[in-house]
Amino acid sequence: QLACPLDLGCHSVECTVFICCSEHRTRIGHLMFDTDYHPYLFEKRQQGTSSPAISLFLFGFLSIALLTTSLLINYNLVNDHAKFGIVSLEIAFSTEQAELIMASWNDFQVKLATFQLGLDFLFVLCYTFTLVSWAFHEHRTIQEKIDAQSSLKIWMNCSVQSRSNESENGLWFKKALAKFAIFAVCCFVLGAVCDCAENVGLLLQILASRATSKWTIACAIFSYTKFTCASIGSIICASLFVKNRFC
């Protein structure tokens, strides 16, 4: 069993190891080194690894609880005019449709809709923190691989031209993935801003008991934007999760 002579490691990075002698160097195979034994990266992993994981779990659990509560409240807002409850009001592009939906709710349902929108601000905070933490976690995992590969490139002279090009391509690909993780964070933040703006617009209309064309169109645009941003960001993070764990 061979070990790295410098006790270096690179998570999921394949290295070519050579035996150097006075006459020649001979490639003896490809080894996989784990960053857990990398002295520099191990120190980085120790910093704040457990705390973010616990926070991610807690906020994720709280997000699910708030989502379940919102769905239960929304169930009481469903009728012939609002087939998706408050969501029907969110995506209503016309003033007539928005006023028809609000007129179909009785006083108790109007209070429920107002309460749900107020609760949604807390839900936005929780799910945004959860999703952004997830994206940063995947980014940190990719960055560790980049650091490990860069460290090996500097500290170990084990590159044949073809293998060197392979390593450069792999490093470029990982840096691109890291940028995708940051893009996912931007999507989540933009989605959260749109969600809050949408809630403000809906509250103003419900409390005034009348819909305005300006807020109706704005709320619909904000609604579609938040769903799009959340979907894009989640797809990116799910893809990075699969790539980091299984590829």
Side-chain angles (χ1 to χ4, degrees), residues 10 13 142-154 163-179:
C10 54
V13 177
I142 296 170
Q143 195 61 48
E144 285 181 356
K145 295 182 179 182
I146 293 173
D147 292 343
Q149 192 167 344
S150 300
S151 298
L152 280 171
K153 184 179 176 183
I154 295 172
R163 297 294 300 171
S164 179
N165 292 338
E166 243 180 78
S167 177
E168 286 294 336
N169 292 336
L171 195 59
W172 176 87
F173 182 67
K174 290 181 179 66
K175 289 180 178 179
L177 290 179
K179 291 180 180 180

Side-chain angles (χ1 to χ4, degrees), residues 6 22 42 50 53 59 62 72 82 101 103 117 126 131 140-141 147 158 180 185 192 194 209 217:
L6 297 179
S22 58
F42 179 75
S50 58
F59 274 89
L62 185 58
L72 291 174
I101 292 172
L117 289 172
C126 290
L131 294 175
R140 186 168 59 250
T141 303
D147 292 343
C158 58
F180 271 109
V185 171
C194 290
S209 299
I217 296 175

